[in-house]
Amino acid sequence: VTTAFQKVGSAMTFLYDYGDEWRFRVELIGTGQAQPDANYPRRA
């Protein structure tokens, strides 16, 4: 179920380690069927 990213192009910025404030952005760039022999997560 996809609830965090409703549509392609949706993005979020995450904050990791409040002391060092590492920030990273995650964006949904596409959807598709999982391939049974593929390793996940995969890079675009």
Side-chain angles (χ1 to χ4, degrees):
V1 177
T2 304
T3 57
F5 299 97
Q6 296 293 318
K7 61 183 179 175
V8 173
S10 297
M12 289 186 193
T13 301
F14 292 88
L15 172 61
Y16 175 79
D17 192 337
Y18 291 103
D20 290 333
E21 292 195 22
W22 297 356
R23 297 174 191 265
F24 58 97
R25 179 179 167 92
V26 176
E27 180 178 357
L28 178 63
I29 60 171
T31 61
Q33 295 293 321
Q35 307 221 351
D37 56 345
N39 292 323
Y40 291 97
R42 294 173 54 182
R43 288 184 155 182

